[in-house]
mmCIF file of all heavy atoms in Angstrom:
data_model
loop_
_atom_site.group_PDB
_atom_site.id
_atom_site.type_symbol
_atom_site.label_atom_id
_atom_site.label_comp_id
_atom_site.label_asym_id
_atom_site.label_seq_id
_atom_site.Cartn_x
_atom_site.Cartn_y
_atom_site.Cartn_z
ATOM 1 N N MET A 1 22.906 82.283 41.915
ATOM 2 C CA MET A 1 24.346 82.356 42.037
ATOM 3 C C MET A 1 24.769 81.476 43.202
ATOM 4 O O MET A 1 24.141 81.489 44.249
ATOM 5 C CB MET A 1 24.750 83.806 42.252
ATOM 6 C CG MET A 1 26.180 84.055 42.200
ATOM 7 S SD MET A 1 26.418 85.844 42.112
ATOM 8 C CE MET A 1 28.105 85.897 41.841
ATOM 9 N N ILE A 2 25.835 80.707 42.997
ATOM 10 C CA ILE A 2 26.339 79.840 44.068
ATOM 11 C C ILE A 2 27.797 80.188 44.354
ATOM 12 O O ILE A 2 28.495 80.731 43.496
ATOM 13 C CB ILE A 2 26.212 78.351 43.708
ATOM 14 C CG1 ILE A 2 26.993 78.020 42.426
ATOM 15 C CG2 ILE A 2 24.757 77.958 43.553
ATOM 16 C CD1 ILE A 2 27.036 76.558 42.097
ATOM 17 N N ASP A 3 28.225 79.856 45.561
ATOM 18 C CA ASP A 3 29.614 80.166 45.906
ATOM 19 C C ASP A 3 30.562 79.148 45.270
ATOM 20 O O ASP A 3 30.151 78.109 44.776
ATOM 21 C CB ASP A 3 29.816 80.254 47.419
ATOM 22 C CG ASP A 3 29.597 78.932 48.131
ATOM 23 O OD1 ASP A 3 30.158 77.916 47.690
ATOM 24 O OD2 ASP A 3 28.883 78.939 49.148
ATOM 25 N N MET A 4 31.837 79.461 45.300
ATOM 26 C CA MET A 4 32.842 78.631 44.636
ATOM 27 C C MET A 4 32.924 77.229 45.229
ATOM 28 O O MET A 4 33.128 76.249 44.516
ATOM 29 C CB MET A 4 34.204 79.319 44.676
ATOM 30 C CG MET A 4 34.267 80.541 43.784
ATOM 31 S SD MET A 4 35.860 81.393 43.841
ATOM 32 C CE MET A 4 36.948 80.145 43.191
ATOM 33 N N GLY A 5 32.765 77.116 46.525
ATOM 34 C CA GLY A 5 32.815 75.809 47.173
ATOM 35 C C GLY A 5 31.692 74.909 46.703
ATOM 36 O O GLY A 5 31.886 73.720 46.443
ATOM 37 N N GLU A 6 30.503 75.467 46.594
ATOM 38 C CA GLU A 6 29.353 74.701 46.121
ATOM 39 C C GLU A 6 29.530 74.318 44.657
ATOM 40 O O GLU A 6 29.200 73.213 44.248
ATOM 41 C CB GLU A 6 28.062 75.510 46.315
ATOM 42 C CG GLU A 6 26.811 74.778 45.916
ATOM 43 C CD GLU A 6 26.455 73.602 46.822
ATOM 44 O OE1 GLU A 6 27.131 73.368 47.839
ATOM 45 O OE2 GLU A 6 25.497 72.902 46.494
ATOM 46 N N ASP A 7 30.076 75.233 43.866
ATOM 47 C CA ASP A 7 30.345 74.941 42.454
ATOM 48 C C ASP A 7 31.315 73.769 42.337
ATOM 49 O O ASP A 7 31.093 72.848 41.553
ATOM 50 C CB ASP A 7 30.918 76.175 41.754
ATOM 51 C CG ASP A 7 31.235 75.915 40.298
ATOM 52 O OD1 ASP A 7 30.300 75.619 39.523
ATOM 53 O OD2 ASP A 7 32.427 75.982 39.933
ATOM 54 N N GLN A 8 32.371 73.778 43.118
ATOM 55 C CA GLN A 8 33.361 72.693 43.097
ATOM 56 C C GLN A 8 32.712 71.378 43.504
ATOM 57 O O GLN A 8 32.953 70.336 42.893
ATOM 58 C CB GLN A 8 34.537 73.023 44.013
ATOM 59 C CG GLN A 8 35.611 71.970 44.028
ATOM 60 C CD GLN A 8 36.326 71.824 42.694
ATOM 61 O OE1 GLN A 8 36.355 72.736 41.894
ATOM 62 N NE2 GLN A 8 36.879 70.657 42.459
ATOM 63 N N ARG A 9 31.888 71.412 44.536
ATOM 64 C CA ARG A 9 31.210 70.207 45.009
ATOM 65 C C ARG A 9 30.302 69.639 43.921
ATOM 66 O O ARG A 9 30.305 68.435 43.659
ATOM 67 C CB ARG A 9 30.396 70.513 46.265
ATOM 68 C CG ARG A 9 29.783 69.287 46.920
ATOM 69 C CD ARG A 9 28.978 69.678 48.154
ATOM 70 N NE ARG A 9 27.699 70.250 47.801
ATOM 71 C CZ ARG A 9 26.618 69.529 47.436
ATOM 72 N NH1 ARG A 9 26.687 68.225 47.378
ATOM 73 N NH2 ARG A 9 25.492 70.134 47.150
ATOM 74 N N LEU A 10 29.558 70.494 43.249
ATOM 75 C CA LEU A 10 28.661 70.048 42.187
ATOM 76 C C LEU A 10 29.434 69.474 41.000
ATOM 77 O O LEU A 10 29.021 68.481 40.394
ATOM 78 C CB LEU A 10 27.756 71.192 41.739
ATOM 79 C CG LEU A 10 26.726 71.653 42.769
ATOM 80 C CD1 LEU A 10 25.999 72.902 42.266
ATOM 81 C CD2 LEU A 10 25.748 70.542 43.100
ATOM 82 N N ARG A 11 30.564 70.079 40.690
ATOM 83 C CA ARG A 11 31.403 69.555 39.604
ATOM 84 C C ARG A 11 31.944 68.168 39.941
ATOM 85 O O ARG A 11 32.001 67.281 39.086
ATOM 86 C CB ARG A 11 32.549 70.514 39.292
ATOM 87 C CG ARG A 11 32.104 71.760 38.573
ATOM 88 C CD ARG A 11 33.280 72.715 38.350
ATOM 89 N NE ARG A 11 32.836 73.980 37.859
ATOM 90 C CZ ARG A 11 32.725 74.290 36.565
ATOM 91 N NH1 ARG A 11 33.017 73.397 35.660
ATOM 92 N NH2 ARG A 11 32.311 75.482 36.195
ATOM 93 N N GLN A 12 32.344 67.973 41.185
ATOM 94 C CA GLN A 12 32.851 66.663 41.611
ATOM 95 C C GLN A 12 31.749 65.608 41.539
ATOM 96 O O GLN A 12 31.997 64.474 41.116
ATOM 97 C CB GLN A 12 33.426 66.746 43.023
ATOM 98 C CG GLN A 12 34.736 67.492 43.088
ATOM 99 C CD GLN A 12 35.228 67.686 44.513
ATOM 100 O OE1 GLN A 12 34.482 67.546 45.478
ATOM 101 N NE2 GLN A 12 36.502 68.027 44.641
ATOM 102 N N ILE A 13 30.557 65.973 41.931
ATOM 103 C CA ILE A 13 29.424 65.045 41.839
ATOM 104 C C ILE A 13 29.172 64.683 40.380
ATOM 105 O O ILE A 13 28.998 63.508 40.047
ATOM 106 C CB ILE A 13 28.159 65.652 42.484
ATOM 107 C CG1 ILE A 13 28.342 65.734 43.995
ATOM 108 C CG2 ILE A 13 26.916 64.841 42.119
ATOM 109 C CD1 ILE A 13 27.269 66.533 44.710
ATOM 110 N N ALA A 14 29.171 65.682 39.504
ATOM 111 C CA ALA A 14 28.932 65.435 38.077
ATOM 112 C C ALA A 14 30.006 64.524 37.496
ATOM 113 O O ALA A 14 29.706 63.609 36.721
ATOM 114 C CB ALA A 14 28.878 66.757 37.315
ATOM 115 N N GLU A 15 31.255 64.742 37.856
ATOM 116 C CA GLU A 15 32.343 63.890 37.376
ATOM 117 C C GLU A 15 32.178 62.461 37.872
ATOM 118 O O GLU A 15 32.408 61.508 37.129
ATOM 119 C CB GLU A 15 33.695 64.457 37.802
ATOM 120 C CG GLU A 15 34.073 65.718 37.057
ATOM 121 C CD GLU A 15 35.333 66.382 37.599
ATOM 122 O OE1 GLU A 15 36.014 65.770 38.457
ATOM 123 O OE2 GLU A 15 35.638 67.497 37.161
ATOM 124 N N GLY A 16 31.771 62.305 39.123
ATOM 125 C CA GLY A 16 31.553 60.970 39.675
ATOM 126 C C GLY A 16 30.423 60.243 38.968
ATOM 127 O O GLY A 16 30.521 59.047 38.676
ATOM 128 N N VAL A 17 29.357 60.963 38.666
ATOM 129 C CA VAL A 17 28.229 60.378 37.946
ATOM 130 C C VAL A 17 28.663 59.971 36.544
ATOM 131 O O VAL A 17 28.329 58.883 36.071
ATOM 132 C CB VAL A 17 27.038 61.369 37.896
ATOM 133 C CG1 VAL A 17 25.972 60.903 36.923
ATOM 134 C CG2 VAL A 17 26.461 61.561 39.281
ATOM 135 N N GLU A 18 29.431 60.837 35.882
ATOM 136 C CA GLU A 18 29.915 60.518 34.542
ATOM 137 C C GLU A 18 30.790 59.269 34.562
ATOM 138 O O GLU A 18 30.640 58.381 33.720
ATOM 139 C CB GLU A 18 30.696 61.698 33.954
ATOM 140 C CG GLU A 18 31.225 61.411 32.567
ATOM 141 C CD GLU A 18 32.068 62.548 32.008
ATOM 142 O OE1 GLU A 18 32.780 63.221 32.772
ATOM 143 O OE2 GLU A 18 31.995 62.736 30.783
ATOM 144 N N GLU A 19 31.691 59.179 35.533
ATOM 145 C CA GLU A 19 32.570 58.021 35.628
ATOM 146 C C GLU A 19 31.774 56.748 35.891
ATOM 147 O O GLU A 19 32.053 55.697 35.306
ATOM 148 C CB GLU A 19 33.620 58.237 36.709
ATOM 149 C CG GLU A 19 34.687 59.239 36.302
ATOM 150 C CD GLU A 19 35.726 59.466 37.381
ATOM 151 O OE1 GLU A 19 35.907 58.571 38.240
ATOM 152 O OE2 GLU A 19 36.350 60.527 37.363
ATOM 153 N N ALA A 20 30.762 56.824 36.743
ATOM 154 C CA ALA A 20 29.934 55.650 37.030
ATOM 155 C C ALA A 20 29.170 55.224 35.783
ATOM 156 O O ALA A 20 29.054 54.028 35.488
ATOM 157 C CB ALA A 20 28.969 55.959 38.170
ATOM 158 N N TRP A 21 28.658 56.192 35.041
ATOM 159 C CA TRP A 21 27.919 55.900 33.807
ATOM 160 C C TRP A 21 28.836 55.256 32.773
ATOM 161 O O TRP A 21 28.469 54.269 32.136
ATOM 162 C CB TRP A 21 27.308 57.191 33.268
ATOM 163 C CG TRP A 21 26.570 57.029 31.980
ATOM 164 C CD1 TRP A 21 25.425 56.328 31.766
ATOM 165 C CD2 TRP A 21 26.937 57.588 30.723
ATOM 166 N NE1 TRP A 21 25.058 56.427 30.445
ATOM 167 C CE2 TRP A 21 25.973 57.194 29.783
ATOM 168 C CE3 TRP A 21 27.996 58.392 30.311
ATOM 169 C CZ2 TRP A 21 26.030 57.570 28.458
ATOM 170 C CZ3 TRP A 21 28.033 58.771 28.982
ATOM 171 C CH2 TRP A 21 27.062 58.366 28.077
ATOM 172 N N LEU A 22 30.048 55.794 32.615
ATOM 173 C CA LEU A 22 30.998 55.213 31.673
ATOM 174 C C LEU A 22 31.383 53.798 32.081
ATOM 175 O O LEU A 22 31.504 52.906 31.235
ATOM 176 C CB LEU A 22 32.250 56.091 31.575
ATOM 177 C CG LEU A 22 32.065 57.435 30.879
ATOM 178 C CD1 LEU A 22 33.328 58.277 31.020
ATOM 179 C CD2 LEU A 22 31.700 57.242 29.422
ATOM 180 N N LYS A 23 31.554 53.563 33.370
ATOM 181 C CA LYS A 23 31.880 52.220 33.847
ATOM 182 C C LYS A 23 30.734 51.266 33.547
ATOM 183 O O LYS A 23 30.962 50.135 33.111
ATOM 184 C CB LYS A 23 32.197 52.227 35.334
ATOM 185 C CG LYS A 23 32.604 50.853 35.852
ATOM 186 C CD LYS A 23 32.880 50.866 37.330
ATOM 187 C CE LYS A 23 33.302 49.530 37.864
ATOM 188 N NZ LYS A 23 32.702 48.359 37.325
ATOM 189 N N GLN A 24 29.516 51.713 33.762
ATOM 190 C CA GLN A 24 28.358 50.866 33.473
ATOM 191 C C GLN A 24 28.308 50.527 31.984
ATOM 192 O O GLN A 24 28.078 49.377 31.617
ATOM 193 C CB GLN A 24 27.064 51.556 33.894
ATOM 194 C CG GLN A 24 25.831 50.720 33.598
ATOM 195 C CD GLN A 24 24.548 51.425 33.953
ATOM 196 O OE1 GLN A 24 24.547 52.527 34.506
ATOM 197 N NE2 GLN A 24 23.424 50.810 33.635
ATOM 198 N N LEU A 25 28.528 51.508 31.130
ATOM 199 C CA LEU A 25 28.541 51.260 29.688
ATOM 200 C C LEU A 25 29.637 50.272 29.316
ATOM 201 O O LEU A 25 29.427 49.362 28.501
ATOM 202 C CB LEU A 25 28.740 52.561 28.915
ATOM 203 C CG LEU A 25 27.581 53.536 28.887
ATOM 204 C CD1 LEU A 25 27.991 54.803 28.143
ATOM 205 C CD2 LEU A 25 26.358 52.915 28.250
ATOM 206 N N ALA A 26 30.801 50.437 29.911
ATOM 207 C CA ALA A 26 31.919 49.534 29.627
ATOM 208 C C ALA A 26 31.606 48.120 30.099
ATOM 209 O O ALA A 26 31.888 47.148 29.393
ATOM 210 C CB ALA A 26 33.193 50.050 30.291
ATOM 211 N N ASP A 27 30.997 47.995 31.267
ATOM 212 C CA ASP A 27 30.636 46.673 31.780
ATOM 213 C C ASP A 27 29.606 45.998 30.871
ATOM 214 O O ASP A 27 29.705 44.801 30.595
ATOM 215 C CB ASP A 27 30.090 46.769 33.206
ATOM 216 C CG ASP A 27 31.147 47.116 34.236
ATOM 217 O OD1 ASP A 27 32.358 47.013 33.915
ATOM 218 O OD2 ASP A 27 30.766 47.510 35.352
ATOM 219 N N GLU A 28 28.626 46.766 30.404
ATOM 220 C CA GLU A 28 27.617 46.215 29.502
ATOM 221 C C GLU A 28 28.253 45.777 28.185
ATOM 222 O O GLU A 28 27.942 44.707 27.666
ATOM 223 C CB GLU A 28 26.523 47.243 29.243
ATOM 224 C CG GLU A 28 25.631 47.497 30.438
ATOM 225 C CD GLU A 28 24.673 48.655 30.233
ATOM 226 O OE1 GLU A 28 24.614 49.215 29.116
ATOM 227 O OE2 GLU A 28 23.972 49.009 31.197
ATOM 228 N N ALA A 29 29.149 46.597 27.672
ATOM 229 C CA ALA A 29 29.824 46.258 26.420
ATOM 230 C C ALA A 29 30.690 45.020 26.595
ATOM 231 O O ALA A 29 30.722 44.147 25.717
ATOM 232 C CB ALA A 29 30.669 47.433 25.939
ATOM 233 N N GLU A 30 31.363 44.914 27.713
ATOM 234 C CA GLU A 30 32.217 43.756 27.970
ATOM 235 C C GLU A 30 31.386 42.480 28.036
ATOM 236 O O GLU A 30 31.798 41.435 27.530
ATOM 237 C CB GLU A 30 32.996 43.956 29.271
ATOM 238 C CG GLU A 30 33.965 42.834 29.555
ATOM 239 C CD GLU A 30 34.777 43.068 30.814
ATOM 240 O OE1 GLU A 30 34.801 44.200 31.333
ATOM 241 O OE2 GLU A 30 35.378 42.094 31.288
ATOM 242 N N SER A 31 30.218 42.566 28.625
ATOM 243 C CA SER A 31 29.378 41.371 28.737
ATOM 244 C C SER A 31 28.827 40.941 27.380
ATOM 245 O O SER A 31 28.449 39.791 27.203
ATOM 246 C CB SER A 31 28.229 41.608 29.722
ATOM 247 O OG SER A 31 27.283 42.517 29.184
ATOM 248 N N GLU A 32 28.796 41.858 26.424
ATOM 249 C CA GLU A 32 28.315 41.550 25.078
ATOM 250 C C GLU A 32 29.415 41.025 24.168
ATOM 251 O O GLU A 32 29.147 40.606 23.053
ATOM 252 C CB GLU A 32 27.677 42.797 24.455
ATOM 253 C CG GLU A 32 26.416 43.245 25.173
ATOM 254 C CD GLU A 32 25.889 44.562 24.651
ATOM 255 O OE1 GLU A 32 26.471 45.123 23.702
ATOM 256 O OE2 GLU A 32 24.880 45.047 25.188
ATOM 257 N N GLY A 33 30.658 41.071 24.609
ATOM 258 C CA GLY A 33 31.781 40.619 23.808
ATOM 259 C C GLY A 33 32.665 41.784 23.427
ATOM 260 O O GLY A 33 32.320 42.947 23.633
ATOM 261 N N THR A 34 33.817 41.480 22.838
ATOM 262 C CA THR A 34 34.791 42.530 22.565
ATOM 263 C C THR A 34 34.818 42.991 21.117
ATOM 264 O O THR A 34 35.441 43.994 20.809
ATOM 265 C CB THR A 34 36.205 42.054 22.956
ATOM 266 O OG1 THR A 34 36.504 40.855 22.225
ATOM 267 C CG2 THR A 34 36.297 41.770 24.446
ATOM 268 N N GLU A 35 34.151 42.287 20.220
ATOM 269 C CA GLU A 35 34.192 42.674 18.811
ATOM 270 C C GLU A 35 33.566 44.051 18.616
ATOM 271 O O GLU A 35 32.433 44.308 19.010
ATOM 272 C CB GLU A 35 33.439 41.656 17.954
ATOM 273 C CG GLU A 35 33.561 41.931 16.470
ATOM 274 C CD GLU A 35 32.873 40.866 15.643
ATOM 275 O OE1 GLU A 35 32.790 39.717 16.083
ATOM 276 O OE2 GLU A 35 32.420 41.217 14.550
ATOM 277 N N GLY A 36 34.337 44.955 18.034
ATOM 278 C CA GLY A 36 33.855 46.304 17.765
ATOM 279 C C GLY A 36 33.822 47.213 18.978
ATOM 280 O O GLY A 36 33.304 48.318 18.904
ATOM 281 N N SER A 37 34.364 46.767 20.108
ATOM 282 C CA SER A 37 34.326 47.587 21.318
ATOM 283 C C SER A 37 35.531 48.522 21.367
ATOM 284 O O SER A 37 36.502 48.361 20.645
ATOM 285 C CB SER A 37 34.289 46.695 22.558
ATOM 286 O OG SER A 37 35.469 45.948 22.665
ATOM 287 N N ILE A 38 35.435 49.512 22.232
ATOM 288 C CA ILE A 38 36.524 50.451 22.452
ATOM 289 C C ILE A 38 36.846 50.471 23.939
ATOM 290 O O ILE A 38 36.043 50.027 24.760
ATOM 291 C CB ILE A 38 36.180 51.873 21.943
ATOM 292 C CG1 ILE A 38 34.969 52.448 22.685
ATOM 293 C CG2 ILE A 38 35.953 51.868 20.445
ATOM 294 C CD1 ILE A 38 34.674 53.893 22.342
ATOM 295 N N THR A 39 37.999 51.011 24.277
ATOM 296 C CA THR A 39 38.387 51.093 25.681
ATOM 297 C C THR A 39 37.597 52.183 26.388
ATOM 298 O O THR A 39 37.018 53.075 25.751
ATOM 299 C CB THR A 39 39.885 51.397 25.829
ATOM 300 O OG1 THR A 39 40.126 52.722 25.348
ATOM 301 C CG2 THR A 39 40.746 50.392 25.084
ATOM 302 N N LEU A 40 37.602 52.126 27.696
ATOM 303 C CA LEU A 40 36.940 53.143 28.501
ATOM 304 C C LEU A 40 37.538 54.520 28.219
ATOM 305 O O LEU A 40 36.813 55.511 28.112
ATOM 306 C CB LEU A 40 37.051 52.803 29.988
ATOM 307 C CG LEU A 40 36.405 53.763 30.974
ATOM 308 C CD1 LEU A 40 34.910 53.889 30.686
ATOM 309 C CD2 LEU A 40 36.622 53.278 32.387
ATOM 310 N N GLU A 41 38.847 54.569 28.065
ATOM 311 C CA GLU A 41 39.514 55.840 27.779
ATOM 312 C C GLU A 41 39.070 56.402 26.425
ATOM 313 O O GLU A 41 38.835 57.606 26.282
ATOM 314 C CB GLU A 41 41.031 55.670 27.807
ATOM 315 C CG GLU A 41 41.598 55.412 29.182
ATOM 316 C CD GLU A 41 41.462 53.950 29.624
ATOM 317 O OE1 GLU A 41 41.189 53.089 28.762
ATOM 318 O OE2 GLU A 41 41.616 53.697 30.826
ATOM 319 N N GLU A 42 38.942 55.528 25.415
ATOM 320 C CA GLU A 42 38.479 55.976 24.100
ATOM 321 C C GLU A 42 37.046 56.479 24.174
ATOM 322 O O GLU A 42 36.704 57.494 23.572
ATOM 323 C CB GLU A 42 38.581 54.828 23.084
ATOM 324 C CG GLU A 42 39.999 54.438 22.734
ATOM 325 C CD GLU A 42 40.080 53.148 21.945
ATOM 326 O OE1 GLU A 42 39.271 52.219 22.186
ATOM 327 O OE2 GLU A 42 40.964 53.065 21.073
ATOM 328 N N MET A 43 36.212 55.790 24.935
ATOM 329 C CA MET A 43 34.823 56.196 25.088
ATOM 330 C C MET A 43 34.734 57.563 25.772
ATOM 331 O O MET A 43 33.986 58.445 25.347
ATOM 332 C CB MET A 43 34.054 55.158 25.903
ATOM 333 C CG MET A 43 32.572 55.406 25.968
ATOM 334 S SD MET A 43 31.645 54.261 27.024
ATOM 335 C CE MET A 43 32.260 52.672 26.548
ATOM 336 N N ALA A 44 35.516 57.747 26.817
ATOM 337 C CA ALA A 44 35.512 59.020 27.536
ATOM 338 C C ALA A 44 35.964 60.156 26.621
ATOM 339 O O ALA A 44 35.388 61.241 26.639
ATOM 340 C CB ALA A 44 36.407 58.932 28.768
ATOM 341 N N ALA A 45 36.989 59.909 25.815
ATOM 342 C CA ALA A 45 37.481 60.931 24.893
ATOM 343 C C ALA A 45 36.410 61.300 23.870
ATOM 344 O O ALA A 45 36.226 62.479 23.546
ATOM 345 C CB ALA A 45 38.746 60.443 24.182
ATOM 346 N N LEU A 46 35.689 60.316 23.377
ATOM 347 C CA LEU A 46 34.624 60.591 22.413
ATOM 348 C C LEU A 46 33.505 61.422 23.038
ATOM 349 O O LEU A 46 32.978 62.346 22.415
ATOM 350 C CB LEU A 46 34.046 59.284 21.864
ATOM 351 C CG LEU A 46 34.926 58.512 20.896
ATOM 352 C CD1 LEU A 46 34.319 57.137 20.611
ATOM 353 C CD2 LEU A 46 35.110 59.287 19.605
ATOM 354 N N LEU A 47 33.161 61.097 24.274
ATOM 355 C CA LEU A 47 32.084 61.825 24.944
ATOM 356 C C LEU A 47 32.486 63.251 25.300
ATOM 357 O O LEU A 47 31.635 64.151 25.350
ATOM 358 C CB LEU A 47 31.638 61.073 26.200
ATOM 359 C CG LEU A 47 30.913 59.759 25.931
ATOM 360 C CD1 LEU A 47 30.731 58.999 27.221
ATOM 361 C CD2 LEU A 47 29.581 60.016 25.256
ATOM 362 N N ARG A 48 33.756 63.459 25.545
ATOM 363 C CA ARG A 48 34.229 64.793 25.914
ATOM 364 C C ARG A 48 34.587 65.656 24.703
ATOM 365 O O ARG A 48 34.780 66.861 24.844
ATOM 366 C CB ARG A 48 35.432 64.671 26.833
ATOM 367 C CG ARG A 48 35.047 64.119 28.192
ATOM 368 C CD ARG A 48 36.214 64.104 29.134
ATOM 369 N NE ARG A 48 35.790 63.649 30.447
ATOM 370 C CZ ARG A 48 36.315 62.622 31.089
ATOM 371 N NH1 ARG A 48 37.334 61.967 30.568
ATOM 372 N NH2 ARG A 48 35.860 62.258 32.268
ATOM 373 N N ALA A 49 34.647 65.046 23.532
ATOM 374 C CA ALA A 49 35.003 65.779 22.308
ATOM 375 C C ALA A 49 33.918 66.791 21.981
ATOM 376 O O ALA A 49 32.725 66.532 22.199
ATOM 377 C CB ALA A 49 35.199 64.813 21.147
ATOM 378 N N PRO A 50 34.307 67.946 21.467
ATOM 379 C CA PRO A 50 33.309 68.961 21.078
ATOM 380 C C PRO A 50 32.347 68.393 20.041
ATOM 381 O O PRO A 50 32.758 67.672 19.124
ATOM 382 C CB PRO A 50 34.133 70.090 20.475
ATOM 383 C CG PRO A 50 35.560 69.810 20.826
ATOM 384 C CD PRO A 50 35.657 68.356 21.154
ATOM 385 N N GLN A 51 31.080 68.692 20.216
ATOM 386 C CA GLN A 51 30.068 68.246 19.264
ATOM 387 C C GLN A 51 29.845 69.332 18.224
ATOM 388 O O GLN A 51 29.745 70.497 18.552
ATOM 389 C CB GLN A 51 28.754 67.965 19.993
ATOM 390 C CG GLN A 51 28.879 66.947 21.109
ATOM 391 C CD GLN A 51 29.286 65.574 20.609
ATOM 392 O OE1 GLN A 51 28.741 65.107 19.620
ATOM 393 N NE2 GLN A 51 30.258 64.963 21.249
ATOM 394 N N ASP A 52 29.786 68.941 16.960
ATOM 395 C CA ASP A 52 29.556 69.928 15.888
ATOM 396 C C ASP A 52 28.107 70.272 15.738
ATOM 397 O O ASP A 52 27.223 69.637 16.058
ATOM 398 C CB ASP A 52 30.066 69.382 14.553
ATOM 399 C CG ASP A 52 31.591 69.253 14.562
ATOM 400 O OD1 ASP A 52 32.243 70.061 15.221
ATOM 401 O OD2 ASP A 52 32.093 68.340 13.897
#
């Protein structure tokens, strides 16, 4: 069990890691060209969508 402050800190770290990973994916996709690519916002929405 962790306290609320530690939980918040861990969530912020996880969000930062996710954002860095999405940026890296977007940068890699951009370097490969734009055909068939999606925006960073679209990618984030897809990753956050509930999985069936």
Side-chain angles (χ1 to χ4, degrees):
M1 188 168 188
I2 59 174
D3 65 49
M4 290 179 63
E6 183 69 4
D7 179 63
Q8 181 66 24
R9 187 181 77 79
L10 292 173
R11 287 177 189 269
Q12 288 174 343
I13 291 170
E15 289 173 9
V17 168
E18 180 183 34
E19 287 179 24
W21 178 66
L22 290 172
K23 183 181 181 323
Q24 179 183 356
L25 288 177
D27 289 345
E28 289 172 6
E30 184 178 346
S31 70
E32 294 173 2
T34 58
E35 186 177 331
S37 64
I38 61 174
T39 67
L40 180 59
E41 290 81 15
E42 291 169 325
M43 187 184 313
L46 288 171
L47 291 170
R48 291 185 176 124
Q51 303 297 315
D52 293 328

